[in-house]
Amino acid sequence: MKKNDVVTVEVTDIGIGGEGIGKVDGYTLFIKDAVIGDTVEVKVMKAKKNYGYARLMRIVKESAFRVSARCPEARRCGGCQIQEMDYRKQLEFKNTKVRNNLIRLGSVEEELLDQIMEPIAGMEEPFRYRNKAQFPIGVDKEGNLIAGFYAGRTHQIIPVPNRDCVLGVPENKVILDQILDYMREEKISAYDEERHKGLVRHVLVRYGFTTKEIMVCLIINGDKLPCSEKLLEKLTKIPGMTSITYNINKEKTNVIMGSKVCPLWGQTYITDYIGNVKYQISPLSFYQVNPVQTEVLYGTALEYAGLTGKETVWDVYCGIGTISLFLAQKAQKVYGVEIVPQAIEDAKHNAEINEITNAEFFVGKAEEVLPEYYADYAKEHPGEHARADVIVVDPPRKGCERSVLDTMVQMEPERIVYVSCDSATLARDVKYLRENGYEIRKVKATDMFPMSVHVETVVLLSQLKQK
Ligand code: SAH
């Protein structure tokens, strides 16, 4: 096979990035936008020795799992990878991904998984689930203002058709229309990334699914937003508008937000709930983007934690304390650990507004905080060691550092609840914990990001010596 070859191939598998995989005389081709079961005509774009990448040219025969995309830009836009795959097939693909990783990388026996793996939690309505959107603002070739999304792996802005992304709330469109009108009328420029010139870089919109409160934040390459009263006239008419701010980012950087938020109208935050826990969310706060499935995910974590009210619980990689506060209501004491100081500020504040007094938070790297806590405890309590009843971890993609896992094992928790956004590193860590006195008891995947290839998983491990 060589570059520019055109071949017809049947798609027989799905790659980890959601792409179709087909074989031509034993040679593997990865084909973006091809769905398992399709027969497609493709053009080879890049040919390696044993495998290559091909572009979908024509669908010869449609798969039974193919559906038409709701968004006309689904293929170009970097936001969705598998919008053309039937949602039930998406769920099966994600569940299989978790299962295969646990088997191949975690050495978990298939028979055991058959017994303990619960069905994946999907969404009833897998669109319009995102409570947050960040639209880059730019101009098209003719110089017209556009708001959109980045194309996959590039910084080319694709205008969102009708400014309505089908993963976000319909309010986004109304807000973007008003902001673009204001920019046109007041001759406000869009930021040009290459020349590092122009004013408006991004528009951030957050929507409280429970409270229906709306936050708008304009990220600008400057200190002031000219004629902002004209903008406020338009935006404050939108029902639910609660917070309008701008954020200053004058750096030549891919990072969207700068550190300074300036109020324009209303509060500088919106309020929302996950379960019965209230959160105040400011433009810079981290907050889960799919509130419906977050509640499902944390519900599973809470169930697996099996709390009775007497437990000491650690929530490692706690972010703004979402899981900690969820657990605190059912535990005696919760300790949270998180590397980002601002997130811990938010966690403490959220504990306060919910009148939760049994949660304590530490700022620092888990791989430092946990071993230090353990060592200090031993010094202060000769002959004893620090213990926990339950440890919950929700690490970033790279999983837990070895020293975190080692300290967890030393603390001898009855149960470990592992929440993961990357089932490959989850499997690696499960393997290590199984070699160190723990057994995997339950697994449940949750679909937090329909139409994308990401999948979240919760695993329960408990001490081997008890059943
Ligand atoms: N459970 C949280 C989010 C977890 S995401 C929630 O639902 O809100 C993973 C978190 O780990 C992030 O907040 C990230 O800032 C933090 N983190 C990353 N590396 C870390 C480290 N080495 N030590 C502690 N926290 C870390």
Side-chain angles (χ1 to χ4, degrees):
M1 201 73 68
K2 55 186 192 309
K3 195 175 160 155
N4 292 331
D5 277 358
V6 174
V7 289
T8 298
V9 53
E10 192 191 334
V11 181
T12 50
D13 207 350
I14 312 170
I16 49 167
E19 70 279 21
I21 300 178
K23 285 202 164 139
V24 185
D25 302 330
Y27 185 88
T28 304
L29 285 174
F30 295 95
I31 313 146
K32 188 178 158 324
D33 304 318
V35 173
I36 186 167
D38 280 342
T39 301
V40 289
E41 189 178 273
V42 302
K43 184 172 180 179
V44 178
M45 306 309 291
K46 200 170 173 183
K48 305 249 184 181
K49 193 157 167 270
N50 300 313
Y51 65 95
Y53 299 90
R55 177 186 288 165
L56 174 62
M57 307 292 284
R58 188 168 67 88
I59 299 166
V60 179
K61 189 174 144 279
E62 276 199 4
S63 162
F65 304 116
R66 175 172 280 283
V67 294
S68 47
R70 280 208 202 174
C71 172
E73 293 293 358
R75 288 188 187 176
R76 274 211 299 163
C77 176
C80 291
Q81 295 93 46
I82 48 176
Q83 224 191 87
E84 291 172 279
M85 192 190 297
D86 177 69
Y87 186 55
R88 268 163 306 173
K89 194 70 183 174
Q90 291 185 23
L91 292 177
E92 184 192 311
F93 155 65
K94 293 183 186 191
N95 209 42
T96 306
K97 179 150 123 178
V98 172
R99 186 187 153 85
N100 286 347
N101 278 337
L102 285 170
I103 293 169
R104 288 179 201 152
L105 307 171
S107 306
V108 181
E109 301 73 21
E110 276 195 68
E111 309 72 54
L112 178 59
L113 269 185
D114 286 340
Q115 289 168 24
I116 62 171
M117 199 155 173
E118 303 190 62
I120 183 169
M123 294 195 80
E124 246 162 65
E125 173 50 47
F127 290 95
R128 304 226 178 266
Y129 58 81
R130 287 185 63 98
N131 60 10
K132 172 184 170 182
Q134 299 178 111
F135 300 95
I137 305 293
V139 287
D140 63 13
K141 285 197 194 90
E142 285 79 44
N144 303 309
L145 281 170
I146 51 169
F149 283 114
Y150 292 127
R153 272 170 294 191
T154 75
H155 266 210
Q156 185 204 345
I157 301 175
I158 302 169
V160 179
N162 301 316
R163 287 177 286 287
D164 187 21
C165 164
V166 294
L167 300 190
V169 294
E171 283 78 359
N172 288 335
K173 173 187 160 49
V174 183
I175 293 163
L176 286 177
D177 283 348
Q178 296 295 340
I179 291 176
L180 294 188
D181 278 353
Y182 149 79
M183 288 177 68
R184 267 181 227 113
E185 286 161 15
E186 306 306 327
K187 308 211 163 23
I188 311 269
S189 58
Y191 178 65
D192 176 338
E193 205 168 43
E194 256 152 52
R195 290 186 298 142
H196 190 50
K197 285 214 161 63
L199 190 64
V200 181
R201 300 174 74 128
H202 274 85
V203 171
L204 164 73
V205 183
R206 277 180 144 159
Y207 179 78
F209 270 57
T210 316
T211 56
K212 312 228 180 322
E213 291 181 3
I214 300 174
M215 163 190 292
V216 176
C217 178
L218 281 81
I219 295 96
I220 62 171
N221 172 39
D223 294 303
K224 266 210 142 106
L225 196 64
C227 316
S228 58
E229 69 288 350
K230 300 280 186 202
L231 175 68
L232 295 184
E233 258 171 46
K234 295 180 190 293
L235 290 182
T236 53
K237 282 194 199 123
I238 299 171
M241 191 56 65
T242 303
S243 165
I244 306 174
T245 57
Y246 65 94
N247 170 275
I248 299 173
N249 183 0
K250 293 195 274 188
E251 303 295 313
K252 212 172 166 161
T253 169
N254 280 345
V255 178
I256 295 179
M257 307 283 289
S259 56
K260 194 167 172 209
V261 176
C262 307
L264 277 177
W265 183 86
Q267 304 167 358
T268 52
Y269 61 87
I270 57 167
T271 304
D272 201 23
Y273 289 81
I274 297 174
N276 56 351
V277 182
K278 179 159 73 171
Y279 297 90
Q280 282 179 358
I281 311 144
S282 69
L284 293 174
S285 316
F286 171 84
Y287 189 65
Q288 293 282 359
V289 299
N290 182 335
V292 172
Q293 291 300 88
T294 298
E295 196 169 336
V296 173
L297 185 77
Y298 294 171
T300 306
L302 186 65
E303 181 199 321
Y304 286 6
L307 302 178
T308 63
K310 297 199 196 93
E311 292 80 5
T312 298
V313 183
W314 282 75
D315 176 15
V316 186
Y317 311 93
C318 71
I320 59 164
T322 334
I323 298 180
S324 321
L325 300 183
F326 224 64
L327 299 171
Q329 305 175 88
K330 298 263 169 70
Q332 185 165 65
K333 178 87 195 187
V334 176
Y335 296 99
V337 184
E338 161 63 42
I339 198 169
V340 177
Q342 181 58 46
I344 289 293
E345 291 292 305
D346 284 352
K348 287 181 178 163
H349 180 69
N350 288 324
E352 221 171 274
I353 59 172
N354 287 284
E355 294 169 25
I356 292 172
T357 52
N358 60 340
E360 202 176 308
F361 295 98
F362 298 95
V363 183
K365 292 183 180 162
E367 58 274 28
E368 288 169 7
V369 172
L370 225 51
E372 276 165 25
Y373 178 89
Y374 190 83
D376 288 349
Y377 191 97
K379 261 186 234 151
E380 285 162 26
H381 306 81
E384 286 179 47
H385 69 85
R387 286 171 185 278
D389 297 302
V390 177
I391 300 182
V392 179
V393 293
D394 184 6
R397 305 191 94 144
K398 66 176 198 276
C400 296
E401 299 268 333
R402 185 55 63 86
S403 66
V404 172
L405 296 174
D406 284 336
T407 312
M408 281 164 59
V409 170
Q410 286 178 320
M411 290 170 81
E412 299 181 318
E414 263 178 49
R415 289 180 291 286
I416 295 172
V417 179
Y418 196 131
V419 183
S420 162
C421 57
D422 184 331
S423 55
T425 57
L426 166 73
R428 178 200 68 200
D429 292 349
V430 162
K431 183 171 182 189
Y432 187 75
L433 290 168
R434 288 183 89 208
E435 290 160 358
N436 287 279
Y438 285 81
E439 180 53 302
I440 183 167
R441 309 282 183 192
K442 282 181 179 174
V443 183
K444 186 176 174 113
T446 300
D447 190 21
M448 296 272 271
F449 308 105
M451 312 303 140
S452 86
V453 293
H454 303 289
V455 56
E456 307 279 316
T457 312
V458 187
V459 164
L460 170 67
L461 298 118
S462 67
Q463 276 177 321
L464 254 185
K465 51 186 178 193
Q466 28 177 298
K467 278 272 158 176

